[in-house]
mmCIF file with all atom_site columns, all heavy atoms in Angstrom:
data_model
loop_
_atom_site.group_PDB
_atom_site.id
_atom_site.type_symbol
_atom_site.label_atom_id
_atom_site.label_alt_id
_atom_site.label_comp_id
_atom_site.label_asym_id
_atom_site.label_entity_id
_atom_site.label_seq_id
_atom_site.pdbx_PDB_ins_code
_atom_site.Cartn_x
_atom_site.Cartn_y
_atom_site.Cartn_z
_atom_site.occupancy
_atom_site.B_iso_or_equiv
_atom_site.pdbx_formal_charge
_atom_site.auth_seq_id
_atom_site.auth_comp_id
_atom_site.auth_asym_id
_atom_site.auth_atom_id
_atom_site.pdbx_PDB_model_num
ATOM 1  N N   . ILE A 1 135 ? 288.063 121.033 75.033 1.00 0.00 ? 135 ILE A N   1
ATOM 2  C CA  . ILE A 1 135 ? 288.227 119.817 74.290 1.00 0.00 ? 135 ILE A CA  1
ATOM 3  C C   . ILE A 1 135 ? 286.874 119.168 74.041 1.00 0.00 ? 135 ILE A C   1
ATOM 4  O O   . ILE A 1 135 ? 286.649 118.616 72.951 1.00 0.00 ? 135 ILE A O   1
ATOM 5  C CB  . ILE A 1 135 ? 289.176 118.878 75.065 1.00 0.00 ? 135 ILE A CB  1
ATOM 6  C CG1 . ILE A 1 135 ? 290.606 119.450 75.038 1.00 0.00 ? 135 ILE A CG1 1
ATOM 7  C CG2 . ILE A 1 135 ? 289.189 117.469 74.435 1.00 0.00 ? 135 ILE A CG2 1
ATOM 8  C CD1 . ILE A 1 135 ? 291.576 118.680 75.935 1.00 0.00 ? 135 ILE A CD1 1
ATOM 9  N N   . LEU A 1 136 ? 285.990 119.230 75.005 1.00 0.00 ? 136 LEU A N   1
ATOM 10 C CA  . LEU A 1 136 ? 284.661 118.628 74.833 1.00 0.00 ? 136 LEU A CA  1
ATOM 11 C C   . LEU A 1 136 ? 283.798 119.363 73.808 1.00 0.00 ? 136 LEU A C   1
ATOM 12 O O   . LEU A 1 136 ? 282.821 118.816 73.285 1.00 0.00 ? 136 LEU A O   1
ATOM 13 C CB  . LEU A 1 136 ? 283.951 118.525 76.173 1.00 0.00 ? 136 LEU A CB  1
ATOM 14 C CG  . LEU A 1 136 ? 284.494 117.497 77.127 1.00 0.00 ? 136 LEU A CG  1
ATOM 15 C CD1 . LEU A 1 136 ? 283.896 117.599 78.480 1.00 0.00 ? 136 LEU A CD1 1
ATOM 16 C CD2 . LEU A 1 136 ? 284.335 116.077 76.575 1.00 0.00 ? 136 LEU A CD2 1
ATOM 17 N N   . LYS A 1 137 ? 284.170 120.598 73.475 1.00 0.00 ? 137 LYS A N   1
ATOM 18 C CA  . LYS A 1 137 ? 283.460 121.339 72.446 1.00 0.00 ? 137 LYS A CA  1
ATOM 19 C C   . LYS A 1 137 ? 283.827 120.864 71.045 1.00 0.00 ? 137 LYS A C   1
ATOM 20 O O   . LYS A 1 137 ? 283.109 121.178 70.084 1.00 0.00 ? 137 LYS A O   1
ATOM 21 C CB  . LYS A 1 137 ? 283.803 122.866 72.544 1.00 0.00 ? 137 LYS A CB  1
ATOM 22 C CG  . LYS A 1 137 ? 283.102 123.483 73.725 1.00 0.00 ? 137 LYS A CG  1
ATOM 23 C CD  . LYS A 1 137 ? 283.454 124.962 73.805 1.00 0.00 ? 137 LYS A CD  1
ATOM 24 C CE  . LYS A 1 137 ? 282.887 125.611 75.044 1.00 0.00 ? 137 LYS A CE  1
ATOM 25 N NZ  . LYS A 1 137 ? 283.336 127.004 75.190 1.00 0.00 ? 137 LYS A NZ  1
ATOM 26 N N   . ILE A 1 138 ? 284.869 120.124 70.910 1.00 0.00 ? 138 ILE A N   1
ATOM 27 C CA  . ILE A 1 138 ? 285.265 119.560 69.602 1.00 0.00 ? 138 ILE A CA  1
ATOM 28 C C   . ILE A 1 138 ? 284.257 118.509 69.247 1.00 0.00 ? 138 ILE A C   1
ATOM 29 O O   . ILE A 1 138 ? 284.100 117.521 69.973 1.00 0.00 ? 138 ILE A O   1
ATOM 30 C CB  . ILE A 1 138 ? 286.724 118.997 69.622 1.00 0.00 ? 138 ILE A CB  1
ATOM 31 C CG1 . ILE A 1 138 ? 287.721 120.092 69.993 1.00 0.00 ? 138 ILE A CG1 1
ATOM 32 C CG2 . ILE A 1 138 ? 287.104 118.351 68.313 1.00 0.00 ? 138 ILE A CG2 1
ATOM 33 C CD1 . ILE A 1 138 ? 289.127 119.572 70.228 1.00 0.00 ? 138 ILE A CD1 1
ATOM 34 N N   . PRO A 1 139 ? 283.569 118.625 68.128 1.00 0.00 ? 139 PRO A N   1
ATOM 35 C CA  . PRO A 1 139 ? 282.449 117.695 67.790 1.00 0.00 ? 139 PRO A CA  1
ATOM 36 C C   . PRO A 1 139 ? 282.887 116.222 67.636 1.00 0.00 ? 139 PRO A C   1
ATOM 37 O O   . PRO A 1 139 ? 282.197 115.336 67.985 1.00 0.00 ? 139 PRO A O   1
ATOM 38 C CB  . PRO A 1 139 ? 281.913 118.208 66.481 1.00 0.00 ? 139 PRO A CB  1
ATOM 39 C CG  . PRO A 1 139 ? 282.397 119.629 66.364 1.00 0.00 ? 139 PRO A CG  1
ATOM 40 C CD  . PRO A 1 139 ? 283.687 119.708 67.123 1.00 0.00 ? 139 PRO A CD  1
ATOM 41 N N   . GLN A 1 140 ? 284.159 116.008 67.168 1.00 0.00 ? 140 GLN A N   1
ATOM 42 C CA  . GLN A 1 140 ? 284.583 114.623 66.943 1.00 0.00 ? 140 GLN A CA  1
ATOM 43 C C   . GLN A 1 140 ? 285.081 113.926 68.234 1.00 0.00 ? 140 GLN A C   1
ATOM 44 O O   . GLN A 1 140 ? 285.313 112.703 68.211 1.00 0.00 ? 140 GLN A O   1
ATOM 45 C CB  . GLN A 1 140 ? 285.714 114.622 65.906 1.00 0.00 ? 140 GLN A CB  1
ATOM 46 C CG  . GLN A 1 140 ? 285.260 115.070 64.547 1.00 0.00 ? 140 GLN A CG  1
ATOM 47 C CD  . GLN A 1 140 ? 285.361 116.534 64.314 1.00 0.00 ? 140 GLN A CD  1
ATOM 48 O OE1 . GLN A 1 140 ? 285.520 117.326 65.258 1.00 0.00 ? 140 GLN A OE1 1
ATOM 49 N NE2 . GLN A 1 140 ? 285.218 116.998 63.068 1.00 0.00 ? 140 GLN A NE2 1
ATOM 50 N N   . VAL A 1 141 ? 285.251 114.644 69.304 1.00 0.00 ? 141 VAL A N   1
ATOM 51 C CA  . VAL A 1 141 ? 285.683 114.083 70.571 1.00 0.00 ? 141 VAL A CA  1
ATOM 52 C C   . VAL A 1 141 ? 284.492 113.484 71.284 1.00 0.00 ? 141 VAL A C   1
ATOM 53 O O   . VAL A 1 141 ? 283.500 114.191 71.521 1.00 0.00 ? 141 VAL A O   1
ATOM 54 C CB  . VAL A 1 141 ? 286.395 115.106 71.430 1.00 0.00 ? 141 VAL A CB  1
ATOM 55 C CG1 . VAL A 1 141 ? 286.690 114.538 72.839 1.00 0.00 ? 141 VAL A CG1 1
ATOM 56 C CG2 . VAL A 1 141 ? 287.708 115.544 70.766 1.00 0.00 ? 141 VAL A CG2 1
ATOM 57 N N   . VAL A 1 142 ? 284.575 112.196 71.591 1.00 0.00 ? 142 VAL A N   1
ATOM 58 C CA  . VAL A 1 142 ? 283.479 111.501 72.279 1.00 0.00 ? 142 VAL A CA  1
ATOM 59 C C   . VAL A 1 142 ? 283.421 111.935 73.750 1.00 0.00 ? 142 VAL A C   1
ATOM 60 O O   . VAL A 1 142 ? 282.386 112.377 74.236 1.00 0.00 ? 142 VAL A O   1
ATOM 61 C CB  . VAL A 1 142 ? 283.618 109.972 72.160 1.00 0.00 ? 142 VAL A CB  1
ATOM 62 C CG1 . VAL A 1 142 ? 282.506 109.299 72.951 1.00 0.00 ? 142 VAL A CG1 1
ATOM 63 C CG2 . VAL A 1 142 ? 283.566 109.561 70.705 1.00 0.00 ? 142 VAL A CG2 1
ATOM 64 N N   . THR A 1 143 ? 284.571 111.840 74.422 1.00 0.00 ? 143 THR A N   1
ATOM 65 C CA  . THR A 1 143 ? 284.685 112.282 75.792 1.00 0.00 ? 143 THR A CA  1
ATOM 66 C C   . THR A 1 143 ? 286.115 112.607 76.134 1.00 0.00 ? 143 THR A C   1
ATOM 67 O O   . THR A 1 143 ? 287.054 112.145 75.465 1.00 0.00 ? 143 THR A O   1
ATOM 68 C CB  . THR A 1 143 ? 284.091 111.283 76.807 1.00 0.00 ? 143 THR A CB  1
ATOM 69 O OG1 . THR A 1 143 ? 284.022 111.857 78.100 1.00 0.00 ? 143 THR A OG1 1
ATOM 70 C CG2 . THR A 1 143 ? 284.923 110.030 76.831 1.00 0.00 ? 143 THR A CG2 1
ATOM 71 N N   . ALA A 1 144 ? 286.299 113.348 77.187 1.00 0.00 ? 144 ALA A N   1
ATOM 72 C CA  . ALA A 1 144 ? 287.615 113.714 77.657 1.00 0.00 ? 144 ALA A CA  1
ATOM 73 C C   . ALA A 1 144 ? 287.489 113.899 79.199 1.00 0.00 ? 144 ALA A C   1
ATOM 74 O O   . ALA A 1 144 ? 286.466 114.399 79.669 1.00 0.00 ? 144 ALA A O   1
ATOM 75 C CB  . ALA A 1 144 ? 288.176 114.930 77.054 1.00 0.00 ? 144 ALA A CB  1
ATOM 76 N N   . TYR A 1 145 ? 288.467 113.445 79.922 1.00 0.00 ? 145 TYR A N   1
ATOM 77 C CA  . TYR A 1 145 ? 288.413 113.513 81.363 1.00 0.00 ? 145 TYR A CA  1
ATOM 78 C C   . TYR A 1 145 ? 289.805 113.554 81.968 1.00 0.00 ? 145 TYR A C   1
ATOM 79 O O   . TYR A 1 145 ? 290.770 113.123 81.323 1.00 0.00 ? 145 TYR A O   1
ATOM 80 C CB  . TYR A 1 145 ? 287.598 112.361 81.967 1.00 0.00 ? 145 TYR A CB  1
ATOM 81 C CG  . TYR A 1 145 ? 288.042 111.003 81.529 1.00 0.00 ? 145 TYR A CG  1
ATOM 82 C CD1 . TYR A 1 145 ? 289.053 110.304 82.174 1.00 0.00 ? 145 TYR A CD1 1
ATOM 83 C CD2 . TYR A 1 145 ? 287.448 110.413 80.426 1.00 0.00 ? 145 TYR A CD2 1
ATOM 84 C CE1 . TYR A 1 145 ? 289.470 109.088 81.712 1.00 0.00 ? 145 TYR A CE1 1
ATOM 85 C CE2 . TYR A 1 145 ? 287.845 109.179 79.982 1.00 0.00 ? 145 TYR A CE2 1
ATOM 86 C CZ  . TYR A 1 145 ? 288.860 108.513 80.634 1.00 0.00 ? 145 TYR A CZ  1
ATOM 87 O OH  . TYR A 1 145 ? 289.252 107.265 80.189 1.00 0.00 ? 145 TYR A OH  1
ATOM 88 N N   . SER A 1 146 ? 289.919 114.080 83.153 1.00 0.00 ? 146 SER A N   1
ATOM 89 C CA  . SER A 1 146 ? 291.162 114.159 83.884 1.00 0.00 ? 146 SER A CA  1
ATOM 90 C C   . SER A 1 146 ? 291.521 112.798 84.483 1.00 0.00 ? 146 SER A C   1
ATOM 91 O O   . SER A 1 146 ? 290.631 112.084 84.951 1.00 0.00 ? 146 SER A O   1
ATOM 92 C CB  . SER A 1 146 ? 291.095 115.234 84.925 1.00 0.00 ? 146 SER A CB  1
ATOM 93 O OG  . SER A 1 146 ? 292.336 115.332 85.600 1.00 0.00 ? 146 SER A OG  1
#
Side-chain angles (χ1 to χ4, degrees):
I135 291 172
L136 288 171
K137 287 179 185 174
I138 300 172
Q140 294 88 348
V141 171
V142 176
T143 189
Y145 51 88
S146 181

